[in-house]
Amino acid sequence: MNLMSLFRRRDSAPVARERLQVLLAHERAFVGKSDLLAVLQEEIIAVIARHVTIERERVQIKLDRGDPISILEIDVEVPSAAAAAALREARPAMAS
Amino acid sequence: MATVLVVTSGKGGVGKTTSTAALGAALAQQGQHVVVVDFDVGLRNLDLVMGAERRVVFDLINVVQGDAKLPQALIRDKRIDTLSLLPASQTRDKEALTAEGVARVINELREKFDWVICDSPAGIERGATLAMRHADAAVVVTNPEVSSVRDSDRIIGMLDSKTAKAEKGERIEKHLLLTRYDPVRAARGEMLKTEDVLEILSIPLLGIIPESEDVLRASNLGTPVTIGSPNSVPAKAYAEAARRLRGETLVVTVPADRRGFMGRLFGRRAVA
């Protein structure tokens, strides 16, 4: 017995309906703003970099679309003081 | 006053061309003057489904570019004399369709016919946007399946923003045509129900066309199902949809399977 046969036992149409409702609620809201996450990422990096020295690769942005709420997850790794100093040496522009 | 109707869906293979042919034929059978226009440049198929593939001389691109006059390109149906076809080009690409050229051809067609039915190509690109550009009303063809519903939602958004009517701040009339519907599977919870699709897309229902061998047979023969098997379940559903397009109020029923109780019992057994 594989995974598919397990699923087939339950009605799949209600699952389809629910997935569509959640998905479309978001797609309708974000039409024409498909690069929203990229824009957010750039602006968030810029704001944080004004105050703390960070590496842009160490900033992760994720959006988990859900109903009734979505979770925008921003994960910023802030280096220790010593590492930050080393970073400033290497790339003074980011720290300014 | 002519009505320009676009038959669209976003997703391919859901039944746009079949529905264009069947609705066009049904309207013509009801005495209306109808032209069906194939916008699928490079992948034309409406001619084949209408059974006119051997009669194509000039096409939409020829008319758009002024190489042929509209009456030269129109193919009059041999079975119903109020039905005509304007085929797409098979050899050119869709870049040859200009916005101005299409506008001119549509205006010319408006003067000759009651219904100008534009069969949109799949996708959301140039061909599809030009097909919907001058529409007064739209038939959104949807299968009860997640990817088709999602694409239909996207197309509905485009109908409300990218059409000439929408840009003038007017509303384009939208109708949902649910095709390849299987009432037995829907009742068993294996397929999205009509109510589910209606609730998600929230546009009025034009009709439900059941999955049927008559539809396949119709395209095999090149005879729209409303002409070839007028008493079949899908033909009746298309004929009723055509009457609703003309403004009649008819209750939409889930088309009953022609098989009787025993047939359905065996059908069910064969699937299980």
Side-chain angles (χ1 to χ4, degrees), chain A residues 3 9 12-16 18 22 27 29 37 39-40 44-45 48 51-52 57 65-66 69 73 80 82 85 87 90:
Chain A
L3 200 64
R9 295 241 171 118
S12 57
V15 181
E18 199 178 312
V22 171
E27 286 192 345
L37 279 190
V39 173
L40 275 179
I44 287 167
I45 289 175
I48 297 174
H51 304 282
V52 206
E57 301 77 41
R65 300 176 165 94
I69 56 158
E73 193 180 318
S80 63
L87 255 177

Side-chain angles (χ1 to χ4, degrees), chain B:
Chain B
M1 181 69 186
T3 303
V4 178
L5 183 73
V6 61
V7 178
T8 185
S9 69
K11 192 176 184 318
V14 296
K16 280 183 297 296
T17 301
T18 307
S19 297
T20 302
L23 284 174
L27 283 165
Q29 283 168 304
Q30 293 166 22
Q32 303 279 299
H33 286 80
V34 181
V35 61
V36 288
V37 186
D38 193 347
F39 270 82
D40 204 345
V41 177
L43 289 170
R44 78 168 172 224
N45 272 319
L46 188 55
D47 55 334
L48 196 54
V49 172
M50 298 284 293
E53 70 276 11
R54 292 163 63 176
R55 300 169 62 204
V56 177
V57 183
F58 295 111
D59 56 54
L60 176 63
I61 301 279
N62 294 136
V63 182
V64 163
Q65 300 199 327
D67 302 330
K69 293 250 183 289
L70 185 58
Q72 293 177 288
L74 287 173
I75 302 170
R76 171 87 61 93
D77 191 89
K78 284 189 167 162
R79 299 149 298 205
I80 305 172
D81 61 4
T82 56
L83 179 62
S84 295
L85 162 72
L86 181 55
S89 169
Q90 182 70 335
T91 49
R92 311 290 288 275
D93 63 66
K94 53 186 177 292
E95 302 312 314
L97 276 183
T98 61
E100 306 75 45
V102 169
R104 187 172 46 77
V105 172
I106 295 282
N107 277 335
E108 218 174 313
L109 289 171
R110 269 184 197 274
E111 285 170 23
K112 293 177 189 280
F113 296 94
D114 302 317
W115 294 87
V116 180
I117 307 183
C118 305
D119 182 20
S120 172
I124 53 170
E125 305 190 357
R126 192 178 171 78
T129 49
L130 279 175
M132 69 169 66
R133 181 78 200 154
H134 304 283
D136 303 306
V139 171
V140 180
V141 182
T142 307
N143 292 168
E145 180 269 327
V146 286
S147 55
S148 173
V149 175
R150 181 197 208 171
D151 292 358
S152 292
D153 190 77
R154 186 80 192 277
I155 282 291
I156 290 168
M158 290 178 65
L159 287 166
D160 286 332
S161 60
K162 300 263 166 80
T163 53
K165 259 201 148 177
E167 284 174 7
K168 277 190 280 176
E170 293 170 33
R171 280 192 67 79
I172 180 162
E173 215 179 289
K174 298 175 293 284
H175 307 274
L176 178 71
L177 188 67
L178 200 56
T179 53
R180 315 189 84 157
Y181 193 72
D182 184 338
V184 177
R185 303 188 78 185
R188 274 191 279 168
E190 294 172 0
M191 185 185 255
L192 286 167
K193 288 188 172 63
T194 309
E195 308 86 76
D196 295 338
V197 182
L198 280 174
E199 188 191 328
I200 292 167
L201 295 179
S202 54
I203 57 172
L205 183 61
L206 182 68
I208 305 169
I209 314 299
E211 176 84 70
S212 161
E213 61 197 45
D214 295 305
V215 174
L216 180 61
R217 189 181 136 81
S219 65
N220 284 345
L221 299 176
T223 309
V225 70
T226 51
I227 302 176
S229 333
N231 292 317
S232 66
V233 178
K236 285 180 175 166
Y238 276 120
E240 285 190 7
R243 286 168 63 192
R244 287 188 199 99
L245 280 175
R246 295 174 59 203
E248 280 187 49
T249 313
L250 301 167
V251 178
V252 182
T253 51
V254 179
D257 205 305
R258 260 197 316 185
R259 288 177 297 177
F261 173 73
M262 289 305 282
R264 225 175 291 161
L265 202 68
F266 284 114
R268 198 175 285 205
R269 207 169 273 167
V271 176

Side-chain angles (χ1 to χ4, degrees), chain A residues 1-93:
Chain A
M1 190 161 70
N2 62 17
L3 200 64
M4 281 311 288
S5 63
L6 261 178
F7 270 94
R8 214 171 290 149
R9 295 241 171 118
R10 297 179 53 201
D11 289 352
S12 57
V15 181
R17 176 196 153 103
E18 199 178 312
R19 288 177 60 218
L20 272 170
Q21 279 171 330
V22 171
L23 172 72
L24 293 180
H26 285 278
E27 286 192 345
R28 286 167 190 159
F30 291 125
V31 153
K33 300 180 205 158
S34 53
D35 55 349
L36 177 69
L37 279 190
V39 173
L40 275 179
Q41 171 143 352
E42 279 313 304
E43 295 190 1
I44 287 167
I45 289 175
V47 169
I48 297 174
R50 235 181 272 154
H51 304 282
V52 206
T53 308
I54 51 166
E55 274 184 272
R56 59 169 40 242
E57 301 77 41
R58 304 289 175 171
V59 180
Q60 298 284 336
I61 295 194
K62 275 191 251 170
L63 181 62
D64 189 3
R65 300 176 165 94
D67 183 37
I69 56 158
S70 302
I71 296 173
L72 179 64
E73 193 180 318
I74 305 166
D75 190 348
V76 184
E77 282 184 31
V78 180
S80 63
L87 255 177
R88 262 197 299 275
E89 291 280 304
R91 276 189 296 166

